[in-house]
Amino acid sequence: MNYGSNKQRSLYFTAPQFIKEAIATVYGMQQRRIRYGNSFREALALLRDTEYRSNGELQEQQHRQAVTFIDQALKDTEYYRNHPEYSARWQARDISQLPVLRKEQVRSHVSEFYSDQHSTMPHRRQHTSGTTGKSLIFPIALPCFQREYAFRAFHYSWVGVDILKHEPVAFCQGEANLYRVHKGTVIPEMS
């Protein structure tokens, strides 16, 4: 167990096996409720609905969503309010005109990128992998977290795995390779 506080991890590792199993079961049930809530189901339905739309339709939808997202970010985050050049460049509604943010800019101003609604939204703390030497820790709103799991579930459905059916599936991830085990078959995946 790599989650929770130091005290929680210590309790877990020193507990008898049957207690560890009970903790793992409860933890798994909690995670399942968190991952597969209403936003998950809505996003998965949208993915299924849009799977066979034309490229033109998908590009239009993507553009509308990007415009809405950027408008909201420019309005609701301290960093963009403090850097009016972003709003000035966004007047043309051309994403390519926006300056690219570097990881160090985000790292040194991370709390300025939080939405003004951050404190009132349920969220989880996430982190990047740290492949550049230092991971970035940031909050992610629960609906966004659930949408990520909808994308995963949609991806797995292409190879016959239904995450919601409680099928026994194991995911084994190493430094360079990721493998999926489904119904006794080991399938290498792109990492």
Side-chain angles (χ1 to χ4, degrees):
M1 179 170 142
N2 292 324
Y3 304 103
S5 67
N6 288 339
K7 187 176 181 177
Q8 289 170 321
R9 286 193 301 274
S10 176
L11 175 65
Y12 175 81
F13 285 118
T14 58
Q17 185 61 34
F18 76 96
I19 298 289
K20 287 180 182 177
E21 290 171 7
I23 291 171
T25 298
V26 169
Y27 177 79
M29 290 167 54
Q30 287 175 324
Q31 291 305 302
R32 190 166 187 80
R33 277 196 307 276
I34 291 168
R35 291 176 184 159
Y36 307 121
N38 290 337
S39 294
F40 166 86
R41 293 181 191 284
E42 290 168 9
L44 186 57
L46 179 64
L47 289 168
R48 289 176 176 154
D49 180 55
T50 59
E51 182 174 16
Y52 297 107
R53 288 193 183 165
S54 71
N55 284 343
E57 288 177 299
L58 293 173
Q59 287 172 342
E60 285 176 27
Q61 179 183 356
Q62 181 184 34
H63 181 74
R64 282 192 309 274
Q65 289 176 331
V67 166
T68 301
F69 175 80
I70 294 169
D71 284 344
Q72 197 73 32
L74 292 173
K75 184 180 114 205
D76 287 351
T77 58
E78 181 182 350
Y79 184 86
Y80 294 116
R81 286 193 301 265
N82 292 339
H83 294 84
E85 65 271 19
Y86 287 93
S87 291
R89 288 185 168 193
W90 182 238
Q91 294 304 315
R93 296 289 195 260
D94 183 356
I95 293 172
S96 68
Q97 296 301 309
L98 293 174
V100 174
L101 284 170
R102 303 286 178 224
K103 192 173 186 179
E104 278 310 313
Q105 285 174 280
V106 175
R107 184 186 314 286
S108 59
H109 300 279
V110 71
S111 65
E112 292 178 35
F113 286 98
Y114 297 175
S115 165
D116 291 341
Q117 288 80 34
H118 164 72
S119 62
T120 62
M121 296 177 359
H123 61 276
R124 295 178 61 114
R125 306 225 27 101
Q126 295 294 111
H127 60 84
T128 60
S129 63
T131 55
T132 59
K134 189 174 180 185
S135 67
L136 181 65
I137 300 170
F138 54 93
I140 183 169
L142 192 55
C144 294
F145 181 76
Q146 289 182 4
R147 277 195 300 272
E148 170 66 25
Y149 274 87
F151 277 94
R152 291 179 188 192
F154 188 60
H155 171 84
Y156 299 145
S157 74
W158 293 343
V159 292
V161 175
D162 187 339
I163 296 293
L164 297 176
K165 285 189 177 175
H166 298 276
E167 293 177 323
V169 177
F171 299 94
C172 305
Q173 184 171 348
E175 286 297 315
N177 298 310
L178 178 64
Y179 297 93
R180 179 177 48 80
V181 180
H182 178 60
K183 297 181 181 175
T185 304
V186 177
I187 303 167
E189 293 187 351
M190 302 297 288
S191 53

